[in-house]
Amino acid sequence: YADLSGQVLWWADLNGAFLHHANLQEANLMYAQLVDANFGGSNLYLVNLYGADLSLANLSFANLSGANMTNTSIRGAHLLNTDLTNADLSGMTEWDEAFWLAATYTDQTVFPTGMDPDSFGMIEIPAPSAIVLVVLSFFAAHQRRRTQAYSI
């Protein structure tokens, strides 16, 4: 397990790196060389991968929600069951040669021109309805009041 959260790794050469289950939340990997790197199960929430080379990388079961993957190369990469909610994949190259099965996305995920996520077996996660959010906030406020009452 490696914790590289928030690290600036511009132009880093991490080809073949084993970063399985690593924490790279909010890391900056702009233009990094990540060919054949293993990020399986890693936390890449809000990571900046602008212009990175992710060819042959394993991103299976990784959290890439909110990630900037603009202009990345992803030839032959594996994104099985990867969380791509709200990620920016615009300008991505060789996306048609990657494995996307069961990767999840929302209506806020930005795809490269011409990419149809359904044709790759990806799963859209619908946004919660407003009523669900209201009910959840009510229960959270009620629970908070109950906890405060016991602490007095």
Side-chain angles (χ1 to χ4, degrees), residues 41-64:
S42 292
N43 179 16
L44 296 151
Y45 174 73
L46 293 176
V47 70
N48 183 5
L49 290 163
Y50 182 94
D53 188 352
L54 288 159
S55 298
L56 305 172
N58 177 18
L59 295 159
S60 298
F61 298 95
N63 175 9
L64 279 159

Short mmCIF file of all heavy atoms in Angstrom, two decimals, residues 41-64:
data_model
loop_
_atom_site.label_atom_id
_atom_site.label_comp_id
_atom_site.label_asym_id
_atom_site.label_seq_id
_atom_site.Cartn_x
_atom_site.Cartn_y
_atom_site.Cartn_z
N GLY A 41 -7.82 -1.51 -7.95
CA GLY A 41 -8.38 -1.24 -6.64
C GLY A 41 -7.88 0.04 -5.98
O GLY A 41 -8.13 0.28 -4.81
N SER A 42 -7.19 0.89 -6.72
CA SER A 42 -6.60 2.11 -6.14
C SER A 42 -7.60 3.25 -6.07
O SER A 42 -8.57 3.31 -6.82
CB SER A 42 -5.39 2.56 -6.97
OG SER A 42 -4.34 1.64 -6.83
N ASN A 43 -7.33 4.19 -5.17
CA ASN A 43 -8.13 5.40 -5.04
C ASN A 43 -7.47 6.51 -5.86
O ASN A 43 -6.43 7.04 -5.46
CB ASN A 43 -8.25 5.82 -3.58
CG ASN A 43 -9.06 7.10 -3.40
OD1 ASN A 43 -9.77 7.52 -4.31
ND2 ASN A 43 -8.95 7.71 -2.24
N LEU A 44 -8.08 6.83 -6.99
CA LEU A 44 -7.57 7.89 -7.87
C LEU A 44 -8.60 9.02 -7.96
O LEU A 44 -8.74 9.68 -8.98
CB LEU A 44 -7.27 7.31 -9.25
CG LEU A 44 -6.16 6.26 -9.28
CD1 LEU A 44 -6.37 5.26 -10.39
CD2 LEU A 44 -4.82 6.92 -9.40
N TYR A 45 -9.31 9.25 -6.88
CA TYR A 45 -10.34 10.28 -6.82
C TYR A 45 -9.72 11.65 -7.10
O TYR A 45 -8.72 12.03 -6.48
CB TYR A 45 -11.01 10.25 -5.45
CG TYR A 45 -12.01 11.34 -5.20
CD1 TYR A 45 -13.25 11.33 -5.82
CD2 TYR A 45 -11.72 12.39 -4.35
CE1 TYR A 45 -14.17 12.33 -5.59
CE2 TYR A 45 -12.63 13.40 -4.10
CZ TYR A 45 -13.86 13.37 -4.73
OH TYR A 45 -14.76 14.36 -4.50
N LEU A 46 -10.30 12.36 -8.05
CA LEU A 46 -9.86 13.71 -8.46
C LEU A 46 -8.40 13.78 -8.92
O LEU A 46 -7.76 14.82 -8.85
CB LEU A 46 -10.09 14.73 -7.33
CG LEU A 46 -11.54 15.04 -6.98
CD1 LEU A 46 -11.62 15.99 -5.79
CD2 LEU A 46 -12.29 15.62 -8.17
N VAL A 47 -7.84 12.68 -9.38
CA VAL A 47 -6.46 12.66 -9.87
C VAL A 47 -6.37 13.40 -11.20
O VAL A 47 -7.32 13.40 -11.99
CB VAL A 47 -5.93 11.21 -10.00
CG1 VAL A 47 -6.60 10.48 -11.14
CG2 VAL A 47 -4.42 11.18 -10.13
N ASN A 48 -5.25 14.05 -11.46
CA ASN A 48 -5.02 14.73 -12.73
C ASN A 48 -4.10 13.86 -13.57
O ASN A 48 -2.91 13.73 -13.27
CB ASN A 48 -4.40 16.11 -12.51
CG ASN A 48 -4.20 16.86 -13.81
OD1 ASN A 48 -4.62 16.42 -14.88
ND2 ASN A 48 -3.57 18.02 -13.73
N LEU A 49 -4.67 13.25 -14.62
CA LEU A 49 -3.91 12.39 -15.53
C LEU A 49 -3.80 13.03 -16.91
O LEU A 49 -3.60 12.33 -17.90
CB LEU A 49 -4.59 11.02 -15.62
CG LEU A 49 -4.51 10.15 -14.37
CD1 LEU A 49 -5.54 9.03 -14.43
CD2 LEU A 49 -3.11 9.60 -14.21
N TYR A 50 -3.92 14.32 -17.00
CA TYR A 50 -3.89 15.01 -18.29
C TYR A 50 -2.66 14.60 -19.09
O TYR A 50 -1.53 14.72 -18.63
CB TYR A 50 -3.89 16.53 -18.08
CG TYR A 50 -3.91 17.30 -19.38
CD1 TYR A 50 -5.10 17.72 -19.93
CD2 TYR A 50 -2.74 17.58 -20.06
CE1 TYR A 50 -5.14 18.40 -21.13
CE2 TYR A 50 -2.75 18.26 -21.26
CZ TYR A 50 -3.96 18.67 -21.78
OH TYR A 50 -3.98 19.35 -22.98
N GLY A 51 -2.89 14.10 -20.31
CA GLY A 51 -1.80 13.76 -21.21
C GLY A 51 -0.97 12.55 -20.82
O GLY A 51 0.05 12.27 -21.43
N ALA A 52 -1.39 11.81 -19.80
CA ALA A 52 -0.63 10.64 -19.34
C ALA A 52 -0.78 9.48 -20.32
O ALA A 52 -1.77 9.39 -21.05
CB ALA A 52 -1.10 10.21 -17.96
N ASP A 53 0.19 8.59 -20.33
CA ASP A 53 0.13 7.38 -21.15
C ASP A 53 -0.22 6.21 -20.25
O ASP A 53 0.61 5.74 -19.47
CB ASP A 53 1.46 7.12 -21.86
CG ASP A 53 1.37 5.99 -22.87
OD1 ASP A 53 0.34 5.29 -22.93
OD2 ASP A 53 2.35 5.81 -23.62
N LEU A 54 -1.48 5.74 -20.35
CA LEU A 54 -1.98 4.63 -19.55
C LEU A 54 -2.12 3.36 -20.38
O LEU A 54 -2.89 2.47 -20.04
CB LEU A 54 -3.33 5.01 -18.94
CG LEU A 54 -3.29 6.04 -17.82
CD1 LEU A 54 -4.64 6.70 -17.65
CD2 LEU A 54 -2.84 5.39 -16.53
N SER A 55 -1.36 3.26 -21.46
CA SER A 55 -1.43 2.08 -22.31
C SER A 55 -1.13 0.82 -21.49
O SER A 55 -0.17 0.80 -20.71
CB SER A 55 -0.42 2.19 -23.46
OG SER A 55 -0.73 3.30 -24.27
N LEU A 56 -1.96 -0.18 -21.67
CA LEU A 56 -1.82 -1.49 -21.02
C LEU A 56 -1.93 -1.44 -19.50
O LEU A 56 -1.65 -2.43 -18.83
CB LEU A 56 -0.52 -2.17 -21.43
CG LEU A 56 -0.30 -2.34 -22.93
CD1 LEU A 56 1.11 -2.86 -23.21
CD2 LEU A 56 -1.34 -3.26 -23.54
N ALA A 57 -2.34 -0.32 -18.94
CA ALA A 57 -2.45 -0.20 -17.48
C ALA A 57 -3.65 -0.97 -16.95
O ALA A 57 -4.65 -1.13 -17.64
CB ALA A 57 -2.56 1.28 -17.08
N ASN A 58 -3.53 -1.45 -15.73
CA ASN A 58 -4.65 -2.10 -15.05
C ASN A 58 -5.29 -1.08 -14.12
O ASN A 58 -4.70 -0.68 -13.12
CB ASN A 58 -4.17 -3.31 -14.25
CG ASN A 58 -5.30 -3.96 -13.47
OD1 ASN A 58 -6.48 -3.74 -13.75
ND2 ASN A 58 -4.95 -4.75 -12.48
N LEU A 59 -6.52 -0.67 -14.47
CA LEU A 59 -7.29 0.26 -13.64
C LEU A 59 -8.56 -0.41 -13.13
O LEU A 59 -9.49 0.26 -12.70
CB LEU A 59 -7.63 1.51 -14.47
CG LEU A 59 -6.43 2.34 -14.90
CD1 LEU A 59 -6.78 3.22 -16.09
CD2 LEU A 59 -5.92 3.17 -13.74
N SER A 60 -8.58 -1.73 -13.14
CA SER A 60 -9.76 -2.48 -12.71
C SER A 60 -10.07 -2.20 -11.24
O SER A 60 -9.18 -2.15 -10.40
CB SER A 60 -9.53 -3.98 -12.90
OG SER A 60 -9.35 -4.27 -14.26
N PHE A 61 -11.35 -1.99 -10.97
CA PHE A 61 -11.87 -1.74 -9.62
C PHE A 61 -11.30 -0.48 -8.99
O PHE A 61 -11.36 -0.31 -7.77
CB PHE A 61 -11.65 -2.96 -8.71
CG PHE A 61 -12.37 -4.19 -9.19
CD1 PHE A 61 -11.71 -5.13 -9.99
CD2 PHE A 61 -13.70 -4.41 -8.88
CE1 PHE A 61 -12.37 -6.25 -10.45
CE2 PHE A 61 -14.37 -5.53 -9.34
CZ PHE A 61 -13.70 -6.46 -10.13
N ALA A 62 -10.73 0.41 -9.77
CA ALA A 62 -10.18 1.66 -9.25
C ALA A 62 -11.25 2.73 -9.16
O ALA A 62 -12.24 2.70 -9.89
CB ALA A 62 -9.03 2.15 -10.14
N ASN A 63 -11.06 3.67 -8.27
CA ASN A 63 -11.95 4.82 -8.14
C ASN A 63 -11.32 5.99 -8.90
O ASN A 63 -10.36 6.58 -8.43
CB ASN A 63 -12.14 5.19 -6.66
CG ASN A 63 -12.97 6.45 -6.49
OD1 ASN A 63 -13.54 6.98 -7.44
ND2 ASN A 63 -13.03 6.95 -5.26
N LEU A 64 -11.87 6.29 -10.06
CA LEU A 64 -11.41 7.42 -10.87
C LEU A 64 -12.49 8.50 -10.94
O LEU A 64 -12.53 9.28 -11.88
CB LEU A 64 -11.06 6.95 -12.28
CG LEU A 64 -9.69 6.29 -12.43
CD1 LEU A 64 -9.62 5.42 -13.66
CD2 LEU A 64 -8.60 7.34 -12.47
#
